[in-house]
Amino acid sequence: MLRLVLNDYKYGFNQGLINVARSGWMIYIYMLVGVPLMFHFDVTGIVTFYCSMIPMLLAMLLSRMYANVMNKTLLLCPLSKQERKDYFNTALGVRIAIPTALFLLLDGSLTILDIIPPVFFLLMTIVLVLYAVAVNIYCTPKAPTSRAISRSYDLPGTYEVWNGLMQVSGLLNMLSLVSAVTDKENPVTRGDEIVIGVLIAVELLLCIKIIVTYYKPVLWQTTSYEVQKRVEVMNAENTAKNRK
């Protein structure tokens, strides 16, 4: 199943970039260019910031590139319900594992070089993993051609609100940890530790909320023949209207 997922991601790479373009590039530009300029990091701070933030943004990028939408061929193949579920979970695991592995490589190296204290490395790892899990429980159509088709992939409740809160919480947590590590002139106080602990606890609660509330709906919309069929019907109706 892993090979199947990787092949799908390989052949869907260009379409994935188009998906990201539709969702917007500004958050990536702002975090990679705007934030470092605002905080005036020194060289060590810049290295720590990019080593920590790039895996975070990669997790979001992968969620928007592939967005838990199965290849149409797979939906038409005689896969069992369990096989489609295995595909979904494997794809989710891949999108979590890639940014996590990159983070462990980059920030692990900084920890070995004594740039990041081991305690902060552990906290950063927790923040990254929570963020990667929650942000990748996401589902949008690969190429929506109408609002009706897009609505067929809508998640229940106020998913976008919770997902947005999760993104802000995760990025803010990582930024606060990077600032604490790189600001040598102002050592971390007990008050700073409490704030960081509260922020991480909030991110944990948001992650639990997203997993408990939205995992099953995203799984169903990703692997359901019924959803795929409804989208095809809506697409055909939309095409017919455009021809008129």
Side-chain angles (χ1 to χ4, degrees):
M1 194 62 72
L2 177 60
R3 180 177 297 179
L4 180 61
V5 170
L6 294 177
N7 283 336
D8 277 355
Y9 282 6
K10 175 184 176 181
Y11 292 114
F13 182 79
N14 291 336
Q15 180 61 52
L17 294 180
I18 294 174
N19 295 341
V20 175
R22 288 195 180 107
S23 64
W25 291 98
M26 287 306 299
I27 181 63
Y28 307 98
I29 296 173
Y30 175 75
M31 292 303 303
L32 294 176
V33 179
V35 171
L37 293 176
M38 290 173 59
F39 279 78
H40 303 290
F41 291 119
D42 58 15
V43 175
T44 302
I46 286 289
V47 172
T48 305
F49 173 81
Y50 282 118
C51 286
S52 304
M53 198 58 66
I54 286 177
M56 296 280 287
L57 295 175
L58 178 60
M60 185 193 301
L61 182 72
L62 291 174
S63 76
R64 271 49 183 176
M65 285 182 69
Y66 300 110
N68 279 323
V69 178
M70 287 186 70
N71 188 298
K72 182 178 178 181
T73 303
L74 291 178
L75 283 169
L76 297 176
C77 288
L79 295 178
S80 68
K81 183 177 180 180
Q82 184 59 47
E83 287 173 330
R84 283 177 277 150
K85 183 177 180 180
D86 291 342
Y87 179 96
F88 173 88
N89 288 326
T90 301
L92 179 61
V94 167
R95 297 196 306 277
I96 295 170
I98 291 175
T100 301
L102 179 61
F103 176 85
L104 293 175
L105 174 63
L106 297 177
D107 282 52
S109 299
L110 296 181
T111 303
I112 293 173
L113 295 173
D114 203 27
I115 295 176
I116 298 178
V119 174
F120 278 90
F121 174 68
L122 176 61
L123 293 175
M124 288 175 166
T125 303
I126 293 173
V127 168
L128 182 280
V129 173
L130 289 175
Y131 182 84
V133 171
V135 81
N136 274 289
I137 298 179
Y138 182 78
C139 184
T140 56
K142 281 188 175 181
T145 55
S146 72
R147 291 184 179 180
I149 294 176
S150 183
R151 282 199 303 271
S152 72
Y153 283 85
D154 285 350
L155 297 175
T158 54
Y159 170 77
E160 291 297 338
V161 174
W162 289 108
N163 186 264
L165 289 173
M166 178 65 199
Q167 290 181 37
V168 171
S169 174
L171 295 174
L172 182 61
N173 280 341
M174 188 61 76
L175 185 58
S176 65
L177 289 169
V178 170
S179 298
V181 167
T182 57
D183 190 355
K184 304 300 183 182
E185 297 181 359
N186 300 295
V188 178
T189 64
R190 179 56 60 89
D192 295 331
E193 292 175 353
I194 293 174
V195 171
I196 291 173
V198 170
L199 290 174
I200 293 177
V202 169
E203 183 181 359
L204 175 60
L205 293 175
L206 289 171
C207 181
I208 293 173
K209 164 68 178 177
I210 289 176
I211 293 173
V212 170
T213 306
Y214 300 111
Y215 171 80
K216 287 185 178 180
V218 170
L219 170 63
W220 182 82
Q221 294 188 76
T222 300
T223 61
S224 170
Y225 289 116
E226 291 80 3
V227 170
Q228 180 66 28
K229 185 64 177 178
R230 185 165 66 250
V231 170
E232 289 179 355
V233 171
M234 291 179 177
N235 197 7
E237 291 176 350
N238 187 68
T239 301
K241 289 180 181 179
N242 290 336
R243 288 177 178 175
K244 292 179 180 179

